[in-house]
Amino acid sequence: MSIREILAAIAFLAAVIFGVAGLAGLFRFPDPYSRLQAGSLLGTTSVLSIFIGTLLLSPNGAVAARVVVIMLFFLISSPTGSHIVARFTWNIGTHPWRPKSEEKKNQGKTGKGKDEAAPEENP
Amino acid sequence: MREFLLTGMQWFIIACILVCIIRILTSRTTSGKLVGLNVLSGVVLAFLVLRGVSEGRALYLDVALVYDIFGFLGFLGIARFLKDKIQGESQE
């Protein structure tokens, strides 16, 4: 059991912890924006930890170089994908979630109800 | 030890893929499905890299890189098409 295997085991343990947390958030959060945040946590931290672990365990230089290239491209493409989904969700007019007590308070104040809490139209 | 780590992580990733597919199938809105798809693409990429390193073949990693690029482009296309379609329906 060498030092590289111990470091890889630590990276994989972090990947498991963050992966379970991200999947739980994907099921438990109420609206698409917060779910997207949990998904980005899983996508970035967990998958990147797995890449670091495989980089430590890679058998030869060809495999390690390809893992580095995949890691760099993933660091660019994953936040861009999350951004695309968030903009799509905003553009089709989904309301951000807010607690029911706050909604009632807004209703009492303005008398207009839910539309008061709606996001402004994107230009 | 090395084989144990790589095999165990592969089983964990397979479980993640199944959970993501359940999430995609059970969410009702389009945004929920797209969020699940976003997570699924990253998780499948991690599975391909783990598989390639455990087999020791560089070919699998080439496949993983091409999968990442084209998955990203397809994702862009889906969001673009659905946005135009939904906005067109609401204007009519």
Side-chain angles (χ1 to χ4, degrees), chain B residues 61-78:
Chain B
L61 297 172
D62 292 340
V63 174
L65 184 60
V66 173
Y67 169 79
D68 195 13
I69 295 170
F70 278 93
F72 173 60
L73 288 181
F75 205 63
L76 192 66
I78 289 171

Side-chain angles (χ1 to χ4, degrees), chain A residues 11-86:
Chain A
F12 283 159
L13 188 66
V16 169
I17 291 171
F18 282 110
V20 170
L23 285 178
L26 210 60
F27 273 86
R28 293 296 300 163
F29 282 164
D31 73 333
Y33 302 107
S34 48
R35 258 185 236 143
L36 199 62
Q37 189 267 331
S40 297
L41 172 78
L42 197 156
T44 311
T45 321
S46 171
V47 175
L48 216 65
S49 300
I50 288 174
F51 286 167
I52 291 171
T54 51
L55 194 62
L56 288 166
L57 288 180
S58 58
N60 49 31
V63 172
R66 281 171 170 86
V67 171
V68 169
V69 171
I70 290 173
M71 205 192 278
L72 286 179
F73 191 80
F74 185 75
L75 270 181
I76 300 170
S77 77
S78 168
T80 317
S82 300
H83 173 78
I84 290 168
V85 176

Side-chain angles (χ1 to χ4, degrees), chain B residues 2-23:
Chain B
R2 183 175 177 275
E3 281 75 23
F4 169 73
L5 279 177
L6 288 171
T7 316
M9 279 314 284
Q10 279 181 42
W11 283 109
F12 173 71
I13 289 290
I14 287 173
C16 281
I17 289 173
L18 288 179
V19 171
C20 285
I21 289 174
I22 290 171
R23 177 71 249 179

